[in-house]
Amino acid sequence: RQHGSSAASGRCGAERGAPLRSMAFIYVGSSPAAQVTVKDSPIFGKADPPAVQKKGIHVLRRTTAGVLESVKFVELDTHIGWISAHPSNGCVYACGGGSVFAFRTSMDGSLTPVGSRHDGCGNAAHMDVSADGGWVLVANYSAGTVASLPILADGSVGPAADSKHHAPMKGTVFSELHADLADRQECSHPHHIRFTPGGARWALVCDLGADCVWVYAFDHSTGALTGASNSSRHLSGAKGSGCRHLDFYPGGQWVYVLCELSCEIMQCSWDPDSGTLKAIKSVPCLPEGVSPCRAHHSGAAHILCSADGRSLYASMRGNNTIVHFSIDPATGDLTRKAAVSSGGVCPRNFHLDYVTTPPRLRVGNQDSQNIVEFAIQADGALDPTPQTFAIDGVCPNIVAAPYVVPPFA
């Protein structure tokens, strides 16, 4: 899972505890410059787009001392929307340019293509690999589709097995389009798709354009995504909220949906037996008196719960912060505790690393071409003096969680 400041171009790391048992690799997928190119964004005209914007995957090493080092850049013909690791076969999977790729990892972090790339039924913004390693799910933002693709015995990806296309239909959670929201919500925009924990019987899809979370049953024998568009399982969000990403509470009973356009978190209850998602309440991420921005690349971006269930983190691109919430373990309720600067412009993605001591949150600032690393304190707060790691020439779209290459790779 995804899951004083100093700057460096080659190494990053504060004092650690005992040495780690193994090094790991962090795969960083590239993107074009983002917020700095959008005329109605908060940063437009205040900063120039990066001069170099490479396409591909930047490979970082987290050493046994917990230090980040640059390894290499894997050049590709497309930017990368997301990267997910397989639970056991030594491969990582990436999506970009309308395709899904498989790469075999090596002990030095190198990536070797496996098989052919396959059409994911659109240009995916996010993907997820099933816990049994048999399937990849993709959410295609521009196409308004989601799809399942099999992972074959050699680690390669096969052609899509099933797909769903989201379109307005009366009597459903996506009943109509609204002319006053056409700036960002002119059609369906699936932005995030997640297998549910505990057997992955269900797939949840955040749809920014439709203001909803689609809930589909998943058949591991065929890859079928099942659920009528008017199913009562699907969850409708507030008009104009823009459901973007979600994460599960470690116990699985709550789901937190981050809404990009309203910069709110919708707390939901989750029943894995019936596949029912119900909204409980919404909590603002921004300080009182600060309005969210609907411009592209300018709203809320990513959300993760801590492994101990005590904290939740969300990235805000409008004011370039990481917001920390505490979680009440009895009710799942959120309390906003603090917000810290992300250390750059457009904090799109981050992960949590609980192998290091203390744990770390690493966020990629898309337009600053850097990764900023925060120590996570005992109460879940982020240390206000982070470390900064420059990745010149790469706008980080996805900063995948540290991956330990299996010994057979």
Side-chain angles (χ1 to χ4, degrees), residues 182-223:
D183 58 335
R184 294 293 311 279
Q185 297 176 290
E186 77 291 352
C187 64
S188 164
H189 288 307
H191 210 303
H192 201 231
I193 187 165
R194 287 283 302 273
F195 284 106
T196 56
R201 293 175 51 202
W202 309 95
L204 273 56
V205 183
C206 288
D207 194 324
L208 186 148
D211 284 330
C212 74
V213 180
W214 306 93
V215 180
Y216 294 115
F218 184 73
D219 187 335
H220 284 260
S221 64
T222 64

Side-chain angles (χ1 to χ4, degrees), residues 328-381:
D328 185 329
T331 64
D333 289 354
L334 301 177
T335 300
R336 190 179 188 275
K337 304 298 287 187
V340 300
S341 170
S342 68
V345 176
C346 205
R348 181 183 177 95
N349 183 251
F350 63 88
H351 67 244
L352 303 175
D353 184 356
Y354 290 100
V355 174
T356 60
T357 303
R360 301 277 152 170
L361 182 151
R362 301 187 185 96
V363 59
N365 290 293
Q366 205 167 1
D367 288 336
S368 299
Q369 295 191 338
N370 69 19
I371 294 173
V372 177
E373 180 185 79
F374 295 86
I376 301 175
Q377 299 171 342
D379 63 354

Side-chain angles (χ1 to χ4, degrees), residues 310-314 322-326 335-340 379-382:
R310 295 171 54 198
S311 293
L312 180 142
Y313 306 93
I322 307 296
V323 186
H324 169 224
F325 295 84
S326 64
T335 300
R336 190 179 188 275
K337 304 298 287 187
V340 300
D379 63 354
L382 300 179

Side-chain angles (χ1 to χ4, degrees), residues 192-285:
H192 201 231
I193 187 165
R194 287 283 302 273
F195 284 106
T196 56
R201 293 175 51 202
W202 309 95
L204 273 56
V205 183
C206 288
D207 194 324
L208 186 148
D211 284 330
C212 74
V213 180
W214 306 93
V215 180
Y216 294 115
F218 184 73
D219 187 335
H220 284 260
S221 64
T222 64
L225 294 158
T226 305
S229 57
N230 65 350
S231 170
S232 61
R233 290 198 301 260
H234 307 313
L235 175 67
S236 180
K239 177 185 174 182
S241 58
C243 304
R244 176 184 171 95
H245 279 198
L246 62 80
D247 200 19
F248 294 88
Y249 185 76
Q253 66 268 47
W254 299 303
V255 174
Y256 298 96
V257 180
L258 182 65
C259 297
E260 174 178 337
L261 303 179
S262 64
C263 289
E264 294 177 313
I265 296 172
M266 181 166 49
Q267 178 192 344
C268 305
S269 63
W270 169 247
D271 182 348
D273 294 327
S274 63
T276 303
L277 190 65
K278 292 183 177 180
I280 299 172
K281 64 177 71 173
S282 289
V283 178
C285 296

Side-chain angles (χ1 to χ4, degrees), residues 72 140 154 165 256 283 355:
K72 64 180 65 181
N140 299 304
D154 65 352
H165 180 249
Y256 298 96
V283 178
V355 174

Side-chain angles (χ1 to χ4, degrees), residues 285-311:
C285 296
L286 298 175
E288 187 175 355
V290 177
S291 299
C293 179
R294 285 179 60 90
H296 285 279
H297 309 296
S298 302
H302 193 45
I303 185 169
L304 286 175
C305 285
S306 64
D308 63 7
R310 295 171 54 198
S311 293

